[in-house]
Amino acid sequence: MNRYTWRTGVREAVLIAVALIYLIPIAALVNVAFRPAASRAGALTPSWPPTFDNFSQAWTQGALGPALVNSVIVSAVSVLGVTVISAFAAYPLARVGRRWSRFAFYGFLGGLLLPGQLALLPLYTTMRDLGLLGGLPALILINIGGQLPFSIFLYTTFLREMPRDYEEAALLDGCGPVRAFVTVVFPMLRAVTGTVVILNSVSVWNEFFNPLLYLSGSGNTTAPVAIYNFVGQYVAQWPLVFAGLVITTIPVLVLYFALQKYIIKGFAGGLKG
């Protein structure tokens, strides 16, 4: 049994201090969200009694209901597309040892190095020429393309560490490569799939610039852009902004806690490569 030493106490004190530092912005966010709009107190000054008026006004004035529906559609379809495409793309990259598979893998890794701003103008003109500006499909296609390189990297490195015994047994039983992957290999990728789902969900859900650029001027908007409407050139309704942030954080927070156990497993498998 390990003894409790002064070094252990110091480590715990440092961890508690770091945790408190991280909790300060969250405390300010929740405090301002429940504070009356006319209050001029500091962000960390406790507000009593708390009020829910900011939440109701943010919901109605900011049209957060339709915006949340759009965010859910964009996030769900984008993450589903990224998961399916990256898993099927990673399987031959991990199992085929030929030169083309290595070049293709490094080609996908190149997508991680290039800044997205380089493709901004070509993508915008392409979406305009295809008549997709202002619609959710344009945003979904861009999200899928932007999130594929990192997801393929995770799946490929995880698959390279996985033994081939199970899929070889399935092939001997008469399964084709596609059926062996779908029925045998993919169910064994729960850890990395959970990592891909939660990381991409958080990224797509919080995306602000692309929805502002590709959905601007249309009736469609997502939650971050709807909250941004509370900030004007001369006046910012910070209590409504913070209340809207609390509302829109809840769905992705629930998803994160539901899948958080897979994140460490997925990263551990991916980093071995």
Side-chain angles (χ1 to χ4, degrees):
M1 182 178 179
N2 296 327
R3 294 178 55 189
Y4 188 88
T5 64
W6 66 271
R7 291 188 178 86
T8 306
V10 170
R11 293 192 190 100
E12 291 180 352
V14 171
L15 290 176
I16 292 173
V18 173
L20 290 176
I21 292 173
Y22 276 94
L23 286 176
I24 288 175
I26 300 175
L29 171 69
V30 176
N31 185 49
V32 175
F34 284 96
R35 193 175 64 185
S39 176
R40 294 294 180 267
L44 292 176
T45 303
S47 56
W48 191 263
T51 177
F52 289 90
D53 292 342
N54 297 328
F55 293 90
S56 60
Q57 291 184 35
W59 184 267
T60 54
Q61 294 181 17
L64 283 184
L68 282 173
V69 171
N70 288 335
S71 289
V72 169
I73 294 173
V74 171
S75 301
V77 178
S78 300
V79 173
L80 178 63
V82 170
T83 304
V84 173
I85 295 173
S86 58
F88 273 92
Y91 186 54
L93 293 178
R95 290 297 190 245
V96 178
R98 298 180 181 176
R99 183 176 299 178
W100 68 263
S101 66
R102 290 195 296 272
F103 280 124
F105 177 68
Y106 291 125
F108 282 116
L109 289 186
L112 294 173
L113 304 177
L114 298 176
Q117 289 80 0
L118 289 178
L120 187 61
L121 186 57
L123 275 177
Y124 186 85
T125 55
T126 302
M127 293 300 168
R128 182 199 59 193
D129 296 341
L130 293 174
L132 295 177
L133 286 182
L136 299 183
L139 196 57
I140 292 170
L141 289 174
I142 291 171
N143 286 333
I144 291 176
Q147 303 298 328
L148 275 180
F150 184 64
S151 301
I152 289 176
F153 166 75
L154 283 180
Y155 271 116
T156 303
T157 50
F158 198 91
L159 280 165
R160 285 174 176 171
E161 297 297 325
M162 179 182 292
R164 305 186 181 204
D165 299 346
Y166 296 101
E167 57 194 281
E168 289 176 352
L171 293 174
L172 289 176
D173 288 339
C175 286
V178 176
R179 187 179 176 187
F181 174 73
V182 173
T183 60
V184 177
V185 177
F186 190 73
M188 299 174 67
L189 301 175
R190 287 191 296 272
V192 67
T193 299
T195 305
V196 168
V197 169
I198 188 62
L199 292 181
N200 287 310
S201 297
V202 172
S203 176
V204 173
W205 184 269
N206 294 323
E207 177 64 42
F208 172 75
F209 182 71
N210 285 333
L212 182 66
L213 180 64
Y214 292 100
L215 301 179
S216 181
S218 69
N220 297 318
T221 187
T222 57
V225 179
I227 295 174
Y228 177 69
N229 292 329
F230 292 126
V231 180
Q233 184 177 2
Y234 301 106
V235 178
Q237 298 173 287
W238 294 116
L240 300 188
V241 172
F242 282 35
L245 289 174
V246 171
I247 294 173
T248 57
T249 301
I250 293 175
V252 73
L253 202 60
V254 171
L255 179 65
Y256 175 80
F257 282 118
L259 299 177
Q260 63 169 337
K261 64 180 180 181
Y262 295 114
I263 293 181
I264 301 300
K265 294 180 180 177
F267 269 117
L271 293 176
K272 287 178 181 177

